[in-house]
Coordinates of all heavy atoms in Angstrom, one line a residue:
I53 N -2.3 29.9 8.2 CA -2.0 31.0 7.2 C -3.0 32.1 7.3 O -3.7 32.6 6.3 CB -1.7 30.5 5.7 CG1 -0.9 31.6 4.9 CG2 -2.9 30.2 4.9 CD1 0.6 31.6 5.3
W54 N -3.1 32.6 8.5 CA -3.8 33.9 9.0 C -5.3 33.9 8.8 O -6.0 35.0 8.8 CB -3.3 35.1 8.1 CG -1.8 35.1 7.8 CD1 -0.9 34.3 8.5 CD2 -1.1 35.9 7.0 NE1 0.4 34.6 7.9 CE2 0.3 35.5 7.1 CE3 -1.4 36.9 6.0 CZ2 1.3 36.2 6.3 CZ3 -0.4 37.5 5.2 CH2 0.9 37.1 5.3
D118 N -14.9 34.6 -3.3 CA -14.5 33.3 -2.8 C -13.3 33.4 -1.9 O -13.0 32.5 -1.0 CB -14.2 32.3 -3.8 CG -15.3 32.1 -4.7 OD1 -16.5 32.4 -4.4 OD2 -15.2 31.6 -5.9
D119 N -12.4 34.4 -2.1 CA -11.1 34.5 -1.4 C -10.7 36.0 -1.4 O -11.2 36.8 -2.1 CB -10.1 33.5 -1.9 CG -10.0 33.5 -3.4 OD1 -9.8 34.7 -3.9 OD2 -10.0 32.6 -4.1
G120 N -9.5 36.1 -0.8 CA -9.0 37.5 -0.7 C -8.7 38.1 -2.0 O -9.0 39.3 -2.4
S121 N -8.2 37.2 -3.0 CA -7.8 37.8 -4.3 C -9.0 38.2 -5.1 O -9.0 39.3 -5.6 CB -7.0 36.7 -5.0 OG -5.9 36.1 -4.3
T122 N -10.1 37.5 -5.0 CA -11.3 37.8 -5.8 C -11.9 39.0 -5.1 O -12.6 39.8 -5.8 CB -12.3 36.6 -5.9 OG1 -12.5 36.0 -4.6 CG2 -11.6 35.5 -6.9
M124 N -10.6 41.5 -3.9 CA -9.8 42.6 -4.4 C -10.0 42.8 -5.9 O -10.2 43.9 -6.4 CB -8.2 42.4 -4.2 CG -7.8 42.6 -2.8 SD -8.3 44.2 -2.1 CE -7.3 45.3 -3.3
Y153 N 0.7 43.5 -1.0 CA 0.3 42.2 -1.4 C -1.2 42.2 -1.4 O -1.9 42.5 -0.3 CB 0.8 41.1 -0.6 CG 0.3 39.8 -1.0 CD1 0.8 39.2 -2.2 CD2 -0.7 39.1 -0.3 CE1 0.4 37.9 -2.6 CE2 -1.1 37.9 -0.7 CZ -0.8 37.3 -1.8 OH -1.2 36.0 -2.2
H154 N -1.9 41.9 -2.5 CA -3.3 41.9 -2.6 C -3.9 40.6 -3.1 O -5.0 40.5 -3.4 CB -3.9 43.0 -3.3 CG -3.4 44.5 -2.8 ND1 -4.0 44.9 -1.6 CD2 -2.5 45.3 -3.2 CE1 -3.4 46.0 -1.3 NE2 -2.5 46.3 -2.2
G155 N -3.1 39.6 -3.3 CA -3.5 38.2 -3.9 C -2.8 37.9 -5.1 O -1.9 38.6 -5.5
D156 N -3.2 36.7 -5.6 CA -2.5 36.1 -6.7 C -3.2 36.0 -8.1 O -2.6 35.4 -9.0 CB -2.1 34.7 -6.3 CG -1.0 34.8 -5.1 OD1 -0.4 35.7 -5.1 OD2 -0.9 33.8 -4.4
A160 N -5.1 41.5 -8.9 CA -4.6 41.6 -7.6 C -3.0 41.6 -7.6 O -2.5 42.4 -6.9 CB -5.0 40.4 -6.7
E206 N -3.2 48.2 2.2 CA -3.4 47.3 3.3 C -3.4 48.2 4.5 O -2.4 48.7 4.9 CB -2.4 46.3 3.4 CG -2.3 45.3 2.2 CD -0.9 44.6 2.1 OE1 -0.7 43.6 2.9 OE2 -0.1 45.1 1.4
V209 N -1.0 47.6 8.3 CA 0.1 46.7 8.2 C 0.1 46.0 6.9 O -0.9 45.6 6.4 CB 0.1 45.6 9.4 CG1 -1.3 44.9 9.5 CG2 1.2 44.6 9.3
G211 N 0.9 42.9 5.4 CA 1.2 41.6 5.8 C 2.4 40.7 5.1 O 3.3 40.4 5.7
A212 N 2.1 40.4 3.7 CA 3.1 39.6 3.1 C 4.4 40.2 2.9 O 5.4 39.6 2.6 CB 2.5 39.1 1.7
D240 N -7.7 47.0 1.7 CA -7.6 45.5 1.7 C -7.5 45.0 3.1 O -6.4 45.0 3.7 CB -6.5 45.2 0.8 CG -6.2 43.6 0.9 OD1 -6.9 42.9 1.5 OD2 -5.4 43.2 0.1
E241 N -8.7 44.7 3.7 CA -8.7 44.2 5.1 C -8.7 42.6 5.1 O -9.3 42.1 6.1 CB -9.9 44.8 5.8 CG -9.7 46.3 6.1 CD -9.6 46.7 7.6 OE1 -9.4 45.8 8.4 OE2 -9.8 47.9 7.9
V242 N -8.3 42.1 4.1 CA -8.3 40.6 4.0 C -7.5 40.0 5.1 O -8.0 39.0 5.8 CB -7.7 40.1 2.7 CG1 -7.6 38.6 2.6 CG2 -8.7 40.6 1.5
L243 N -6.5 40.5 5.6 CA -5.7 40.1 6.7 C -6.1 40.8 8.0 O -6.2 40.1 9.0 CB -4.2 40.2 6.5 CG -3.3 40.2 7.7 CD1 -3.3 38.9 8.3 CD2 -1.9 40.7 7.4
T244 N -6.3 42.0 7.9 CA -6.4 42.9 9.1 C -7.9 42.8 9.7 O -8.1 43.0 10.9 CB -6.1 44.3 8.8 OG1 -6.8 44.7 7.7 CG2 -4.6 44.5 8.6
S268 N -11.7 38.7 3.8 CA -11.9 37.2 3.5 C -11.3 36.5 4.7 O -12.0 36.0 5.5 CB -11.1 37.0 2.2 OG -11.3 35.7 1.8
K269 N -9.9 36.3 4.7 CA -9.3 35.2 5.5 C -10.2 34.8 6.9 O -10.5 33.8 7.0 CB -7.9 35.8 5.9 CG -6.9 35.8 4.8 CD -5.5 35.9 5.3 CE -4.5 35.5 4.2 NZ -4.1 36.5 3.3
Ligands
LIG501 C1 -4.0 36.8 1.9 C2 -4.2 38.1 1.4 C3 -4.8 38.3 0.2 C4 -5.2 37.2 -0.7 O1 -6.2 36.4 -0.2 P1 -6.3 34.8 -0.7 O2 -7.5 34.4 0.1 O3 -5.1 34.2 -0.4 O4 -6.7 34.9 -2.2 C5 -5.1 39.6 -0.2 N1 -4.7 40.7 0.6 C6 -4.1 40.5 1.7 C7 -3.7 41.7 2.5 C8 -3.8 39.2 2.1 O5 -3.2 39.1 3.3

Side-chain angles (χ1 to χ4, degrees):
I53 206 73
W54 320 348
D118 305 338
D119 51 51
S121 307
T122 53
M124 285 304 297
Y153 178 76
H154 299 291
D156 293 336
E206 294 161 85
V209 53
D240 178 353
E241 292 242 17
V242 170
L243 162 65
T244 52
S268 185
K269 290 197 168 90

